[in-house]
Amino acid sequence: YRWNQLLDEATMAATVRMAGWIKTLGWVVIVAVALVVSISSPSDSAIVALLFSPFIGMGLVLVNVGSTRLELSADHVRLRTILARYEMRWDEVRWIETDDRMSMLVLHGEDKRLTIPGGDYWSGADRDRAWPRFVAQMDARSVKMQRSFWSQFKLSRNTKVHK
């Protein structure tokens, strides 16, 4: 009975957002750097801005990641960020790679991969239903999960959807 219930739930789409604190942290970093630059003397403001530009870049990355939406359906996994949209069909997934904390999940296919944040970073109304649906899709397709420290550094490849 439980298996059939999981399969039924797996056919329904679930959409989750990333945890709100990620986006908030990004904005805090950007505003803090802007304040530091604004209170520096006019002659030093360009140098201060240059020195703190990596922090602005980090803040922008956090805002982008924090604005991410993940859609899990019976057919595909779709990741939407401010900058791009990525998608991989479940029938293309051969195996999944993750780190010890499952903070990142890398779906591998033939010459492609989709990197998505792990379940601890998911939030929203579908959060509690999304992971069982994800696992049900893995089980239905006999997709194995492997642990790797390097999974947290991998980027998506050949999964970007061009509009």
Side-chain angles (χ1 to χ4, degrees), residues 9-77:
E9 288 180 0
T11 62
M12 302 179 328
T15 302
V16 292
R17 294 186 177 279
M18 295 311 106
W21 66 266
I22 298 171
K23 187 175 178 180
T24 302
L25 179 61
W27 283 116
V28 166
V29 168
I30 292 169
V31 169
V33 170
L35 286 173
V36 167
V37 171
S38 69
I39 62 173
S40 63
S41 67
S43 61
D44 295 336
S45 63
I47 294 170
V48 171
L50 185 61
L51 289 173
F52 281 93
S53 61
F55 293 103
I56 291 193
M58 181 183 67
L60 291 172
V61 168
L62 289 171
V63 169
N64 184 44
V65 169
S67 301
T68 298
R69 282 190 347 196
L70 177 65
E71 179 185 316
L72 304 168
S73 77
D75 300 322
H76 64 268
V77 177

Side-chain angles (χ1 to χ4, degrees), residues 1 7 12 23 48 62 80 103 106 113 124 130 134 160:
Y1 168 74
L7 284 178
M12 302 179 328
K23 187 175 178 180
V48 171
L62 289 171
R80 293 181 186 204
S103 60
V106 184
R113 66 177 173 234
F134 187 88
K160 188 173 186 179

Side-chain angles (χ1 to χ4, degrees), residues 14 16 72 102 105 117-119 122 126-138 145:
V16 292
L72 304 168
M102 295 185 71
L105 302 167
W122 300 353
D126 288 342
R127 181 185 193 271
D128 293 335
R129 293 185 298 265
W131 184 252
R133 292 175 188 173
F134 187 88
V135 173
Q137 288 299 328
M138 286 177 53
M145 189 176 290

